[in-house]
Amino acid sequence: MTIELYDQQEQAIAGLPYLSLQLSPEIVVAVQLKSVRETLVLASDRFTQMPNVHPCLMGLVEHRSSVFWVLDLPQLLGFTPLDGTAIETHIAILQFGGAFLGLGVYRIGRVVRINDTEIVSPLELPKTKTPIETVPFLRGWVSQPEDSNKHLYVLDAQAIASHKLSI
């Protein structure tokens, strides 16, 4: 019984797990791990392109008997889009109830732990070079311990999933 209490206290101190995603070699974001079903790397020929859709939609993917959209996450957030000529794409698959959404990124990162108290409001972003398109999808940002000049943007996965893309 005592051991379980220590485990719970340790988890509270360590923070919640987030999956870091690289949008480029310099830009890193994170989504709460509880929203991520899995990650994978897909060949570009596995995407089914659809006409007359928003440029952020990379295409439809069939995976494990499910069909879902994959978003170009850097482009959605106002950063440089992913390389359209790349042979393969790194994808984090988010799950919301029975629905899935793929986030195409430059690279899948590692799991990091973040305390909610570390997250700075997106309204306090003047110190960063953050595109305005990013703000609706942010919970905030945290300084990266290995480099205080770099920031890890903490995304609101539900805001991304519920965003309506129009052409």
Side-chain angles (χ1 to χ4, degrees), residues 13-29:
I13 292 170
L16 297 173
Y18 286 78
L19 179 64
S20 63
L21 306 168
Q22 281 190 278
L23 303 185
S24 71
E26 300 84 29
I27 302 167
V28 181
V29 300

Side-chain angles (χ1 to χ4, degrees), residues 39-58:
T39 62
L40 58 121
V41 178
L42 279 183
S44 58
D45 62 357
R46 295 272 315 271
F47 289 84
T48 301
Q49 305 292 323
M50 301 300 284
N52 302 319
V53 295
H54 194 279
C56 290
L57 294 171
M58 299 175 71

Side-chain angles (χ1 to χ4, degrees), residues 24 54-55 58 62 89 92 94 100 102-104 106 108 111 115 123 126 139 141-142 149 154 161 167:
S24 71
H54 194 279
M58 299 175 71
E62 187 278 328
T89 302
L94 305 182
F100 302 101
L103 302 178
Y106 176 72
I108 303 294
V111 174
N115 285 317
L123 300 176
R139 286 191 58 217
W141 57 272
V142 295
N149 291 325
V154 181
I167 299 175

Side-chain angles (χ1 to χ4, degrees), residues 3-18 113-118:
I3 293 172
E4 290 178 20
L5 288 175
Y6 286 130
D7 284 345
Q8 288 177 352
Q9 286 177 345
E10 199 168 302
Q11 287 176 349
I13 292 170
L16 297 173
Y18 286 78
R113 291 196 166 268
I114 300 172
N115 285 317
D116 280 347
T117 56
E118 295 176 289

Side-chain angles (χ1 to χ4, degrees), residues 23 27 29 73-81 129-131 134 153:
L23 303 185
I27 302 167
V29 300
L73 186 60
Q75 187 174 11
L76 176 71
L77 299 178
F79 295 101
T80 303
K129 297 176 184 171
T130 304
T134 305
Y153 299 100

